[in-house]
Amino acid sequence: MSFFGFGQSAELDIILDGAATRRTAEVKTEDGKKERLYLFFDGETLSGKVNITLKRPGYKLEHQGIKIEFLGQIELYYDRGNHHEFTSLVKELARPGELHHNTSYDFEFNQVEKPYEVYTGTNVKLRYFLRVTVVRRLTDLVKELDIAVHTLSSYPEMNSSIKMEVGIEDSLHIEFEYNKSKYHLKDVIVGKIYFLLVRIKIRHMEIAIIRRETTGSGPNVFNENETIAKYEIMDGSPVRGESIPIRVFLAGYDLTPTMRDINKKFSVRYYLNLVLVDEEERRYFKQQEITLWRKGDRIRKSLQMAPAPVTTPTSNGDNDQQQVQAFEKVPSPVSEEPVSAVETEDP
């Protein structure tokens, strides 16, 4: 809004080339809703037009220059005053002067590097956007257009199964196995749990997918856990030698690829959380990290360059080595409602 109540004197629009045929992707907003944005990949060119429409006939628009920027930035919600930019490109569209009629300017950012995927979390947001600025003496005219960016990975060369024995001394000893440690976002987690020793009365067993968002560094580290899905996989007390199958479909859940130390600002990791609850409501749990990655579904004909390089997801832990560990026990009884097929409350 300008001074003296006259309002904005011109309307700005950003029109992308090929917008009618370009794919879109859903991106979560800060208020939890979703919006559809034009989808781009690393190395793709961004081009289009900037349209400036004067709102009053015969009116001239004085300006100190017109520019368009392509920005990639990370915003930490507890530090909203500072935007951490990891990509910043600028194109000058016009030198200082006057506009007497509606005007359009072409722009192109060639083969732009987009190293990270868009993300909106509990404490952090990573976004890419175009910003047009008409510089004026009193109030600049500004228009922004957000885009979605997905990062693609190739099939991991090493993807061994996760096999681990856990237990409580002289009370419970089980072995669980997942078919692999790295899954694409539409994959199926297949596994089994084998009871070697059962001397406590177990009421039921759950498995949950947990997303852990880590922001900050040093003493100012914030961890936020979110339960993406929770299943009850066993009801009743098992016996020695019993085997429980696990099958979890990842498609349909709001998942992102695993993100590790993104621009030294935040990380997003995923865990499988196995929980056993006994008849006295004591809970025994074991978490195992898994790596999620995004698989390209088809060749992208819209690229204006050679296919973008792909990365191979890596794992921080020695997941492919068999380990023997103890269950972690929650010290005080926890009372919960019966578990339905899917719950979204934090564990």
Side-chain angles (χ1 to χ4, degrees):
M1 184 70 69
S2 297
F3 288 99
F4 310 115
F6 290 112
Q8 188 166 286
S9 54
E11 183 175 329
L12 310 181
D13 287 303
I14 304 173
I15 309 298
L16 295 175
D17 290 340
T21 57
R22 177 166 291 278
R23 291 173 55 192
T24 60
E26 280 192 346
V27 176
K28 187 168 68 173
T29 60
E30 291 184 34
D31 58 6
K33 299 179 181 179
K34 291 188 176 181
E35 61 179 346
R36 300 204 70 88
L37 303 178
Y38 292 114
L39 178 61
F40 287 83
F41 298 90
D42 184 26
E44 272 196 274
T45 294
L46 281 89
S47 61
K49 292 181 179 294
V50 173
N51 295 331
I52 302 178
T53 305
L54 302 183
K55 288 191 172 181
R56 296 196 295 273
Y59 174 81
K60 66 177 181 179
L61 176 65
E62 297 182 3
H63 62 86
Q64 305 301 312
I66 304 173
K67 64 180 179 179
I68 185 169
E69 303 167 272
F70 176 70
L71 301 171
Q73 69 180 24
I74 297 171
E75 179 183 352
L76 300 171
Y77 295 160
Y78 59 82
D79 187 22
R80 286 185 177 271
N82 295 321
H83 293 161
H84 307 277
E85 294 183 355
F86 55 87
T87 296
S88 179
L89 301 173
V90 183
K91 296 280 187 181
E92 297 293 337
L93 300 179
R95 294 182 178 181
E98 298 178 351
L99 295 181
H100 296 272
H101 51 78
N102 300 340
T103 308
S104 294
Y105 298 96
D106 295 326
F107 70 88
E108 180 179 78
F109 294 100
N110 191 38
Q111 299 181 4
V112 182
E113 181 182 359
K114 311 174 199 70
Y116 310 123
E117 180 150 332
V118 292
Y119 176 75
T120 302
T122 306
N123 291 317
V124 64
K125 180 177 183 178
L126 188 153
R127 62 187 287 237
Y128 294 87
F129 60 100
L130 292 163
R131 181 166 64 199
V132 176
T133 304
V134 178
V135 183
R136 306 185 69 195
R137 291 182 179 178
L138 295 178
T139 305
D140 294 343
L141 304 181
V142 179
K143 177 73 173 182
E144 293 183 353
L145 176 67
D146 281 75
I147 66 168
V149 171
H150 284 174
T151 57
L152 303 180
S153 300
S154 62
Y155 281 96
E157 295 181 4
M158 297 293 295
N159 198 2
S160 301
S161 62
I162 301 172
K163 195 171 185 178
M164 187 177 297
E165 293 183 11
V166 298
I168 304 169
E169 187 175 2
D170 298 329
S171 299
L172 179 67
H173 191 189
I174 69 174
E175 176 183 276
F176 66 82
E177 181 177 1
Y178 304 117
N179 60 332
K180 48 191 175 182
S181 57
K182 302 164 187 173
Y183 299 88
H184 62 77
L185 299 184
K186 296 182 179 179
D187 216 335
V188 181
I189 298 174
V190 178
K192 68 176 182 177
I193 299 173
Y194 187 71
F195 289 87
L196 303 174
L197 175 66
V198 183
R199 289 181 179 172
I200 59 176
K201 294 184 179 180
I202 298 175
R203 176 175 292 178
H204 64 266
M205 181 164 54
E206 309 163 357
I207 189 170
I209 303 172
I210 294 177
R211 173 164 52 213
R212 180 172 298 161
E213 176 187 293
T214 303
T215 54
S217 60
N220 299 318
V221 173
F222 300 91
N223 288 315
E224 290 287 345
N225 290 340
E226 178 185 359
T227 300
I228 304 300
K230 184 189 290 185
Y231 294 93
E232 183 178 286
I233 59 176
M234 185 191 71
D235 184 17
S237 183
V239 298
R240 180 179 177 180
E242 189 169 356
S243 179
I244 306 296
I246 297 174
R247 186 176 292 269
V248 179
F249 294 85
L250 299 180
Y253 292 114
D254 184 19
L255 300 171
T256 67
T258 295
M259 303 178 179
R260 292 189 174 93
D261 199 23
I262 300 300
N263 206 47
K264 301 187 183 300
K265 299 300 178 184
F266 74 97
S267 298
V268 179
R269 291 180 166 87
Y270 290 88
Y271 296 84
L272 292 177
N273 191 42
L274 183 66
V275 181
L276 283 78
V277 182
D278 67 14
E279 290 188 343
E280 297 180 3
E281 293 297 333
R282 290 176 299 197
R283 300 169 64 88
Y284 310 89
F285 67 96
K286 190 64 188 177
Q287 285 190 358
Q288 177 64 48
E289 184 176 1
I290 58 174
T291 299
L292 299 185
W293 55 282
R294 186 181 297 281
K295 180 177 68 172
D297 53 358
R298 62 176 180 266
I299 298 175
R300 304 187 306 278
K301 295 181 180 179
S302 61
L303 284 182
Q304 301 176 12
M305 56 168 292
V310 294
T311 58
T312 300
T314 58
S315 177
N316 279 356
D318 298 323
N319 292 338
D320 40 38
Q321 297 182 4
Q322 185 170 343
Q323 304 176 31
V324 179
Q325 298 186 14
F327 260 111
E328 299 177 60
K329 179 180 176 182
V330 178
S332 58
V334 179
S335 176
E336 291 190 345
E337 296 293 329
V339 179
S340 59
V342 178
E343 297 179 351
T344 57
E345 296 180 357
D346 289 344

